Amino acid sequence: MAKMWSGRFSADASSLLEQFNASIMFDKRLYGEDIEGSLAHAKMLSAQGILTKSELEQIQSGLAQVKDEIESEEFVWSIGDEDLHMAIEKRLTQIIGDAGKKLHTARSRNDQVALDFRLFVLRHNTKIALLLKELMQTVVHLASQHTTTIMPGMTHLQHAQPTNFGFHMLAYASMFKRDIERFISSSDRNNISPLGCAALAGTVYNIDREAVATELGFDSISINCLDTVSDRDFALEMLFNISTVMMHISRLSEELVLWSSYEFGFIELSDEYSTGSSIMPQKKNPDVPELLRGKCGRVYGSLIGLFSVMKSLPLAYNKDTQEDKEGLFDAVDTVMISLEILEQALATMSVNQDQMQSATAVGHLSATDLADYLVSRCSIPFREAHFITGRVIGLAQELGIDLSTMSLEQLRSVDERIGEDVLELLDLTNSMNARVSKGATATVRTLEQVVYFENYLKGLDL
Ligand code: ARG
């Protein structure tokens, strides 16, 4: 079958080349964007007197039919057509005849694919931001219910200071807020129409790029045609943004896996979002967070993959660029289902407050409070206070008890300057609530943070 570009060729393409060269198997996903772009382009060509009104009408009805055929799955996607752009144009011409052959006036597949891919990225930036918003809503709601649920805060995965579960969840709300902002700012920066750049150098026709940009909902047109047809920064930004989301998801997932173990027992995932073992009847496995952790890797792969494709490409369009799509499509699909399932897993899990509370009873979580007490009430320099507290901890270890349950006599056996007023400071809930600096873990501060994030979500218009 003759190719659209076959004028200067005398032999047919080999079937091996057809297979190797084609992108139609995956770029057909861009059919909606492609048809929208063609409609805007044709409308502009007609307004500029390059197409007649009747040709425009034929193109409009022909493209509507093509769209219907694609959506009803009647459309035949054939590898011989190479990519979706040529497949659609070929079918349009079969339907409407010669007017179909005029659609590509003042256009190249280079600006056409740059448009389709950019529109896909911009639209999915918003879809992902919306899913992040829903996840964040669930996280903030969970936090609002647990501002007094005391748990051990950790550094190096070792007991450090008492915190509350709400405070812990709000750390993730903070990450998801930044993630949302990254998708929004990336869309703002890249909201630029590439159409009219043609192959690389613009066109001799009297086109109106601004009209096309407005028709397609872009803020403005690109400045330099050569850059526009080869630029894939917008896709790299999206892949970086998705990778960052997946990294955050993976960190939370890691905690969910740990917390659902017998050793922690802080949470229990619902049956709906847990799996069993084929051999061990007693098992309830956290496959969802494990897979979420694992899927982070493939998304990083897509980011590095596209960086590697783009590196060293001479200007302007090169066929290498066709490799931009599959990795990005996969990353988009991966992050979208990941956000949805994580939201569900969190919304349906149960939080074992008693277990969190008993975990605070070991590890001397109020040790810093004792040192701070020695500094502020006994005027002991912090370094010395740190040492004395270390001795107290040594004694507690010897006695096999936690600092928070030591008696005044036991404390004073290490240093006589310790007074009775220390006992309430060593109580774990008091220790948590003593941290009242801005952004700290005290319940009052955690509640402030809940309100902050609730207001942010309320004002977020996507
Ligand atoms: N299928 C191609 C891609 O995805 C479309 C652009 C082809 N342009 C060209 N000059 N061969 O990149």
Side-chain angles (χ1 to χ4, degrees):
M1 199 196 344
K3 304 279 180 222
M4 278 186 187
W5 39 252
S6 65
R8 60 101 69 210
F9 290 78
S10 42
D12 285 346
S14 84
S15 64
L16 190 60
L17 172 114
E18 280 193 344
Q19 253 185 64
F20 184 66
N21 197 39
S23 55
I24 198 163
M25 310 75 82
F26 49 87
D27 66 15
K28 61 182 180 185
R29 184 166 176 174
L30 298 171
Y31 80 88
E33 287 80 7
D34 197 73
I35 290 174
E36 246 179 90
S38 290
L39 287 169
H41 180 66
K43 192 170 166 193
M44 177 279 291
L45 290 180
S46 148
Q48 297 298 102
I50 301 164
L51 288 181
T52 66
K53 214 158 174 254
S54 135
E55 285 164 340
L56 170 64
E57 281 163 12
Q58 292 174 58
I59 288 173
Q60 285 168 331
S61 74
L63 284 174
Q65 182 177 330
V66 171
K67 192 163 184 239
D68 281 350
E69 289 178 6
I70 294 173
E71 286 170 357
S72 61
E73 285 170 34
E74 273 166 65
F75 194 92
V76 186
W77 296 104
S78 148
I79 239 175
D81 289 334
E82 193 176 319
D83 57 30
L84 95 152
H85 318 294
M86 290 199 285
I88 291 177
E89 189 185 316
K90 188 179 98 183
R91 180 69 191 126
L92 175 71
T93 305
Q94 280 169 358
I95 300 169
I96 66 169
D98 281 350
K101 297 183 186 164
K102 295 192 176 180
L103 174 61
H104 213 50
T105 313
R107 188 174 73 169
S108 153
R109 276 185 296 158
N110 297 350
D111 59 343
Q112 195 176 352
V113 75
L115 169 83
D116 296 358
F117 200 42
R118 188 178 286 259
L119 277 179
F120 179 89
V121 164
L122 295 177
R123 287 170 184 176
H124 285 81
N125 278 344
T126 309
K127 289 186 183 175
I128 295 168
L130 274 166
L131 289 172
L132 274 162
K133 181 181 177 185
E134 277 163 35
L135 171 63
M136 203 177 145
Q137 263 154 351
T138 298
V139 168
V140 173
H141 179 68
L142 194 58
S144 71
Q145 295 178 314
H146 290 286
T147 58
T148 57
T149 305
I150 192 164
M151 72 183 283
M154 301 198 176
T155 63
H156 311 267
L157 205 61
Q158 304 287 324
H159 285 211
Q161 290 174 348
T163 57
N164 66 74
F165 185 58
F167 178 71
H168 198 103
M169 292 315 289
L170 291 180
Y172 287 105
S174 313
M175 296 176 220
F176 296 138
K177 174 174 178 279
R178 290 196 296 277
D179 290 338
I180 292 174
E181 289 162 354
R182 260 188 287 274
F183 284 101
I184 296 174
S185 72
S186 180
S187 278
D188 288 348
R189 181 169 35 262
N190 293 302
N191 199 333
I192 291 163
S193 172
L195 267 193
C197 286
L200 73 163
T203 176
V204 295
Y205 294 94
N206 176 30
I207 59 171
D208 182 350
R209 291 191 59 200
E210 279 87 359
V212 176
T214 307
E215 180 76 16
L216 291 168
F218 285 106
D219 290 343
S220 61
I221 61 166
S222 66
I223 299 300
N224 177 284
C225 295
L226 195 59
D227 168 53
T228 307
V229 290
S230 79
D231 169 35
R232 294 293 180 274
D233 297 4
F234 60 94
L236 285 164
E237 280 184 28
M238 180 186 225
L239 285 168
F240 172 83
N241 294 342
I242 294 176
S243 297
T244 307
V245 172
M246 290 305 294
M247 179 267 290
H248 290 152
I249 287 181
S250 177
R251 294 187 72 176
L252 175 51
S253 297
E254 168 70 5
E255 300 211 286
L256 295 177
V257 172
L258 286 172
W259 291 342
S260 54
S261 67
Y262 276 111
E263 285 68 21
F264 276 84
F266 287 2
I267 59 150
E268 186 175 344
L269 293 170
S270 68
D271 285 1
E272 277 172 285
Y273 292 99
S274 301
T275 49
S277 154
S278 60
I279 175 171
M280 297 165 282
Q282 84 284 12
K283 293 289 299 282
K284 184 170 177 186
N285 291 330
D287 283 22
V288 168
E290 288 173 73
L291 260 178
L292 288 170
R293 219 170 39 183
K295 284 186 186 292
C296 191
R298 65 195 280 163
V299 168
Y300 288 178
S302 298
L303 172 65
I304 301 302
L306 185 55
F307 263 129
S308 312
V309 166
M310 295 310 292
K311 161 186 182 301
S312 314
L313 284 189
L315 297 178
Y317 178 84
N318 299 272
K319 188 75 171 199
D320 317 43
T321 316
Q322 180 167 288
E323 290 292 315
D324 58 1
K325 292 175 201 59
E326 287 162 289
L328 184 127
F329 290 160
D330 183 74
V332 166
D333 294 339
T334 301
V335 76
M336 288 181 68
I337 193 164
S338 298
L339 287 166
E340 247 182 282
I341 201 158
L342 175 59
E343 190 276 326
Q344 282 300 305
L346 291 174
T348 56
M349 76 181 187
S350 51
V351 177
N352 193 344
Q353 304 189 31
D354 295 342
Q355 189 65 23
M356 287 187 183
Q357 167 128 37
S358 19
T360 60
V362 289
H364 318 289
L365 290 167
S366 48
T368 317
D369 300 79
L370 176 57
D372 289 338
Y373 169 86
L374 293 169
V375 170
S376 58
R377 307 271 170 95
C378 312
S379 304
I380 298 174
F382 183 77
R383 199 41 65 210
E384 201 185 320
H386 187 287
F387 182 78
I388 297 167
T389 307
R391 299 284 301 274
V392 173
I393 299 301
L395 175 61
Q397 291 283 91
E398 243 171 64
L399 298 170
I401 56 174
D402 187 73
L403 170 65
S404 59
T405 60
M406 282 177 93
S407 67
L408 185 59
E409 293 66 42
Q410 288 166 333
L411 294 165
R412 284 172 69 93
S413 73
V414 176
D415 195 304
E416 290 211 324
R417 287 170 288 184
I418 298 174
E420 200 185 348
D421 52 347
V422 79
L423 293 177
E424 62 171 346
L425 300 180
L426 299 185
D427 170 82
L428 296 165
T429 302
N430 291 344
S431 163
M432 190 259 286
N433 281 322
R435 283 169 175 72
V436 287
S437 55
K438 284 189 180 160
T441 191
T443 295
V444 279
R445 293 287 173 250
T446 305
L447 281 168
E448 281 171 10
Q449 294 166 42
V450 167
V451 172
Y452 171 84
F453 287 117
E454 281 173 351
N455 286 337
Y456 168 77
L457 287 165
K458 256 183 241 148
L460 186 62
D461 184 22
L462 288 166

